[in-house]
């Protein structure tokens, strides 16, 4: 019945295309941004008395390991991001299609000029779909997040993912593979929900401002909406991102992380 009102459902072939495209984008983004991800981890884990400058840390990494040292942790990043991005967007599409059938979340629209590839939802639906999809994918791929955080940390010297995997199991057992998930959920779930919420809101406003729907305006809309939504969601959830890094790499609980932050709050600013 929703088809009669102009709601478009994505076909299985379209879903396959989404998996391929998002997986490829995750691969490219992981390779391009790994040095920044590494620096972020090192800065957040830097001792209160040491240097927290990204420039100083990058120089230290280069002096010790050369230029390739900036790509340390790329393998676990790829193992997490490539399937993670693909599964997340697949799940997000499927979940959003389900939510269009719920009166609280679905918004029936006949606006064929809407450039969004996502089913149309209310702000509440956008928030819920992002949160639920990210929680499921985050739990599934949390072992790779733990290995990634440890690879990027200067507290470990793993030479392979297998060494990291066996070390985690030896130290903490199977529970070590879901270590830090609570902190990750506190950051990733709100981030994903806010991102989808902000993305759809910014996209709708930008579509009105830019006028006719052409290839150039679509590219501008996607780029601006994604960048703006990402920046806004990052600012809102950054404190939880720091907690996530500490919990995953240093075996702290969320409670222990909060205590340390409170103790060193002046040094960490």
């Amino acid at each position: 019945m929703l088809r009669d009102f102009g709601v478009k459902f994505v076909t299985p072939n379209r879903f396959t295309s989404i998996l391929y495209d998002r997986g490829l984008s995750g691969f490219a983004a992981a390779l391009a941004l790994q040095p920044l991800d590494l620096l972020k981890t090192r800065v957040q884990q830097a001792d209160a008395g040491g240097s927290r400058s990204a420039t100083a840390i990058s120089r230290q990494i280069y002096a010790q390991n050369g230029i390739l040292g900036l790509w340390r942790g790329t393998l676990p990043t790829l193992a997490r991001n490539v399937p993670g991005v693909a599964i997340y967007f697949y799940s997000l599409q499927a979940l959003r299609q389900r939510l269009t059938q719920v009166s609280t979340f679905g918004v029936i629209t006949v606006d064929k000029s809407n450039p969004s590839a996502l089913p149309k939802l209310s702000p509440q639906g956008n928030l819920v779909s992002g949160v639920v999809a990210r929680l499921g994918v985050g739990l599934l791929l949390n072992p790779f997040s733990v290995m990634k955080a440890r690879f990027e940390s200067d507290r470990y010297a793993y030479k392979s993912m297998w060494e990291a995997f066996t070390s985690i199991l030896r130290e903490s057992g199977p529970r070590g593979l879901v270590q830090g998930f609570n902190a990750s959920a506190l950051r990733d779930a709100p981030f994903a929900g806010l991102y989808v919420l902000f993305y759809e809101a910014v996209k709708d406003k930008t579509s009105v401002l830019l006028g006719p729907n052409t290839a150039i305006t679509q590219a501008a809309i996607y780029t601006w909406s994604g960048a703006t939504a990402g920046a806004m969601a990052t600012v809102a959830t950054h404190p939880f991102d720091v907690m996530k890094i500490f919990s995953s790499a240093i075996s702290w609980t969320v409670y222990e992380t909060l205590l340390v932050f409170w103790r060193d709050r002046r040094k960490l600013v």
Side-chain angles (χ1 to χ4, degrees):
M1 183 175 69
L2 287 174
R3 294 180 187 274
D4 298 333
F5 291 94
V7 176
K8 297 181 179 180
F9 285 83
V10 180
T11 63
N13 288 337
R14 175 59 178 160
F15 269 140
T16 302
S17 176
I18 290 172
L19 279 175
Y20 175 80
D21 292 344
R22 302 308 183 185
L24 187 60
S25 67
F27 177 83
L31 287 181
L33 300 178
Q34 178 60 27
L36 298 179
D37 220 17
L38 175 65
L39 289 177
K40 182 190 74 171
T41 300
R42 293 288 179 91
V43 168
Q44 291 177 349
Q45 291 183 355
D47 295 331
S51 174
R52 300 182 65 83
S53 166
T55 302
I57 292 176
S58 61
R59 287 176 178 172
Q60 180 184 14
I61 295 173
Y62 179 77
Q64 293 176 348
N65 304 299
I67 190 66
L68 293 180
L70 293 172
W71 273 267
R72 177 174 173 79
T74 299
L75 189 58
T77 298
L78 291 174
R80 184 194 67 173
N81 286 16
V82 173
V85 171
I87 295 171
Y88 169 72
F89 278 99
Y90 187 104
S91 303
L92 184 63
Q93 279 278 9
L95 181 60
R96 289 174 68 91
Q97 286 192 346
R98 291 288 184 181
L99 290 178
T100 58
Q101 304 174 47
V102 180
S103 59
T104 305
F105 301 128
V107 175
I108 297 175
T109 178
V110 293
D111 182 11
K112 297 182 180 180
S113 66
N114 184 359
S116 176
L118 298 175
K120 191 69 175 176
L121 294 176
S122 66
Q124 300 95 315
N126 289 325
L127 186 64
V128 169
S129 63
V131 168
V132 174
R134 189 62 185 84
L135 277 176
V137 175
L139 180 60
L140 179 65
L141 298 176
N142 195 78
F144 295 106
S145 295
V146 176
M147 287 188 284
K148 168 182 163 60
R150 292 200 174 194
F151 255 94
E152 294 174 351
S153 171
D154 57 1
R155 293 177 170 85
Y156 301 91
Y158 298 135
K159 296 181 180 179
S160 67
M161 287 183 61
W162 178 250
E163 181 183 357
F165 178 77
T166 54
S167 175
I168 293 169
L169 286 180
R170 185 170 58 253
E171 293 174 6
S172 308
R175 292 184 59 183
L177 297 175
V178 293
Q179 178 181 302
F181 176 72
N182 290 338
S184 296
L186 285 174
R187 186 267 178 182
D188 292 347
F191 176 89
L194 290 173
Y195 179 88
V196 177
L197 176 65
F198 293 149
Y199 175 83
E200 288 294 312
V202 173
K203 178 187 62 59
D204 289 343
K205 297 295 184 182
T206 308
S207 299
V208 174
L209 292 175
L210 293 184
N213 181 18
T214 65
I216 295 178
T217 58
Q218 280 192 25
I221 289 169
Y222 285 136
T223 302
W224 172 252
S225 301
T228 304
M232 295 171 67
T234 297
V235 170
T237 60
H238 181 70
F240 296 110
D241 189 42
V242 180
M243 291 170 56
K244 169 187 172 182
I245 295 295
F246 273 89
S247 298
S248 297
I250 316 180
S251 304
W252 286 351
T253 65
V254 173
Y255 177 68
E256 290 170 331
T257 304
L258 286 172
L259 288 179
V260 171
F261 284 170
W262 178 254
R263 184 195 66 191
D264 297 333
R265 62 191 182 281
R266 294 182 179 178
K267 299 178 181 179
L268 294 173
V269 176

